[in-house]
């Protein structure tokens, strides 16, 4: 079920480009045929490195996001909290529907393990506990919605920290791509979202191994994350990231079949084959700006598309240092020669003015 999308910008124009305002399929007319059988009512596929949007369907349409909203919870709260802080859950936070860790109210958990349960197991009890670590649940939701505004995820309204369906809660395929890209820009969150299994704290403080719900990590060569979701109302929701041949693609699916992995794989295959052969239909914001926004350090321009300058290889750095030093030596020798010549000329003029002895 699609909800009415929020206004995308103060100008009324869709964030990312005018073509992204379409409620239908948007793709370069000269592009290869898209895969058949895509069930997602809203989806978007983009180059996560450049921000180029390659294809989409109803990218700004408002849909219930289910547990993909937990990425916004993590992007907002993970940079704020001490990962080693020990937390004993409030029993009231553990009374929740859907996926659970489950957490034990008699056990103290490091904050980092709560985020592992949140992302890998999509644990709603962990989301509730995290939402009370820095103020109230209302405070956390206010920060999440403020974070969405800073990211220009203007279609997103967070009413829960766990993504369980709630009145007025929504996001869009475009917004989830922005949020997922901001998650990629946080190294600790990117590593967590790309982990297939992890040893965490279990009941009584005993070690416990948890396995990621994101099966794309096992099914798709090059998959590096991120987040799954499902409720009866939302259907299947998904944010997936894969890297091949030096390129990173981000895919978002909303209101899809619960068995969405095949269509995710087909769309990613299409995207990798289409890179460099299709004209983008819009743009996402840059990873650098998203990283600054996720850390709360900078506002974000909707049209930013800057690409990071490539780092120089070590040999090039050494050569540049050597050439710079050699140039400085030549300049120094030149300056010294000029000074000696001028000193010689001054002495010559002085001798010329002196009366000659007889």
């Amino acid at each position: 079920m699609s909800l009415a999308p929020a206004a995308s910008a103060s100008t009324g124009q869709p964030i990312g480009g005018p073509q992204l305002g379409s409620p239908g399929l948007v793709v370069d007319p000269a592009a290869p045929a898209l895969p058949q059988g895509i069930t997602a009512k809203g989806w978007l596929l983009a180059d996560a490195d450049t921000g180029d949007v390659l294809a989409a369907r109803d990218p700004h349409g408002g849909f219930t996001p289910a547990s993909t909203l937990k990425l916004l919870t993590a992007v907002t709260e993970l940079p704020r909290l001490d990962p080693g802080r020990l937390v004993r859950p409030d029993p009231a936070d553990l009374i929740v529907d859907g996926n659970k860790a489950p957490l034990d109210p008699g056990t103290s958990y490091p904050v980092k393990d709560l985020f592992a349960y949140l992302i890998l197991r999509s644990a709603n009890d962990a989301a509730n506990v995290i939402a009370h670590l820095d103020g109230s649940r209302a405070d956390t939701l206010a920060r999440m919605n403020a974070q969405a505004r800073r990211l220009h995820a203007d279609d997103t309204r967070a009413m829960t920290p766990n993504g369980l369906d709630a009145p007025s809660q929504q996001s869009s395929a475009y917004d989830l791509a922005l949020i997922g890209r901001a998650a990629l820009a946080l190294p600790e969150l990117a590593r967590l979202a790309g982990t297939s299994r992890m040893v965490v704290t279990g009941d009584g403080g005993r070690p416990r191994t948890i396995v990621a719900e994101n099966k794309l990590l096992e099914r798709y060569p090059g998959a590096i994350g991120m987040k799954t979701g499902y409720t009866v109302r939302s259907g299947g929701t998904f944010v997936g990231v894969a890297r091949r041949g030096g390129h990173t693609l981000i895919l978002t699916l909303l209101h899809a079949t619960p068995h969405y992995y095949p269509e995710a794989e087909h769309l990613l295959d299409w995207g990798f084959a289409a890179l460099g052969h299709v004209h983008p239909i819009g743009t996402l914001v840059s990873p650098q700006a998203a990283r600054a926004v996720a850390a709360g350090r900078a506002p974000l321009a909707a049209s930013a598309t800057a690409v990071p300058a490539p780092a120089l290889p070590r040999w090039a750095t050494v050569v540049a240092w050597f050439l710079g030093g050699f140039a400085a030596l030549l300049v120094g020798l030149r300056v010294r020669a000029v000074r000696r010549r001028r000193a010689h000329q001054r002495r010559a003029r002085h001798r010329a003015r002196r009366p000659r002895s007889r």
Side-chain angles (χ1 to χ4, degrees):
M1 176 182 177
S2 177
L3 305 174
S8 298
S10 59
T11 62
Q13 296 299 315
I15 298 293
Q19 293 185 77
L20 299 183
S22 169
L25 185 66
V26 191
V27 67
D28 179 3
L34 284 161
Q36 298 295 309
I38 305 302
T39 66
K41 300 285 177 46
W43 61 266
L44 181 141
L45 180 64
D47 185 329
D49 301 314
T50 65
D52 290 343
V53 178
L54 305 179
R57 179 182 179 183
D58 197 8
H60 279 294
F63 294 89
T64 47
S67 285
T68 55
L69 192 68
K70 289 183 172 81
L71 283 177
L72 180 59
T73 306
V75 164
T76 303
E77 295 300 288
L78 183 61
R80 299 172 57 85
L81 300 170
D82 176 3
R85 173 184 167 189
L86 293 177
V87 176
R88 182 165 291 186
D90 184 331
D93 287 333
L94 310 185
I95 303 171
V96 63
D97 293 332
N99 281 13
K100 300 179 187 180
L103 300 175
D104 171 23
T107 299
S108 294
Y109 297 88
V111 165
K112 63 182 179 61
D113 287 359
L114 294 176
F115 279 100
Y117 281 118
L118 178 81
I119 299 299
L120 272 63
R121 297 303 301 157
S122 200
N124 296 323
D125 51 355
N128 287 350
V129 174
I130 289 169
H132 285 105
L133 293 182
D134 189 10
S136 68
R137 177 186 174 104
D139 293 334
T140 296
L141 290 171
R143 286 192 295 268
M144 290 170 63
N145 284 303
Q147 185 74 282
R149 301 292 81 76
R150 283 193 291 266
L151 289 169
H152 283 282
D154 291 346
D155 306 317
T156 297
R157 296 292 180 271
M159 305 303 293
T160 72
N162 49 42
L164 290 174
D165 297 331
S168 302
Q169 182 160 272
Q170 69 172 36
S171 191
S172 67
Y174 183 85
D175 282 13
L176 288 178
L178 294 183
I179 294 165
R181 207 169 180 219
L184 278 177
L186 290 172
E188 61 272 36
L189 182 51
R191 284 193 298 270
L192 184 59
T195 300
S196 58
R197 62 181 59 232
M198 179 179 289
V199 177
V200 295
T201 303
D203 290 356
R206 291 180 291 273
R208 175 188 175 192
T209 300
I210 57 174
V211 178
E213 290 216 329
N214 183 4
K215 304 307 178 190
L216 198 73
L217 292 168
E218 301 172 355
R219 296 174 53 123
Y220 193 77
I224 58 173
M226 297 202 114
K227 190 71 194 71
T228 62
Y230 173 80
T231 68
V232 173
R233 184 187 184 198
S234 300
T237 65
F238 185 62
V239 179
V241 182
R243 185 176 295 134
R244 287 183 181 176
H247 296 280
T248 305
L249 295 184
I250 185 165
L251 170 69
T252 59
L253 305 173
L254 284 165
H255 210 290
T257 174
H259 310 290
Y260 46 69
Y261 289 113
E263 58 193 85
E265 293 166 353
H266 295 153
L267 282 170
L268 287 168
D269 283 343
W270 179 90
F272 283 116
L275 279 171
H277 303 289
V278 298
H279 292 292
I281 57 168
T283 186
L284 301 177
V285 291
S286 73
Q288 298 85 353
R291 182 184 296 112
V293 169
R297 294 193 303 269
L300 190 59
S303 60
T305 56
V307 178
L312 287 174
R314 186 174 180 180
W315 66 265
T317 303
V318 173
V319 170
W321 178 86
F322 175 78
L323 291 176
F326 184 68
L329 177 62
L330 290 179
V331 170
L333 292 174
R334 174 64 176 167
V335 169
R336 184 179 178 185
V338 169
R339 288 175 176 172
R340 292 180 64 182
R341 184 172 64 252
R342 288 176 178 173
H344 177 74
Q345 290 171 344
R346 284 195 299 271
R347 287 194 297 270
R349 286 195 297 270
H350 180 69
R351 287 196 299 267
R353 288 195 297 267
R354 290 172 57 186
R356 294 188 180 184
S357 58
R358 300 184 179 206

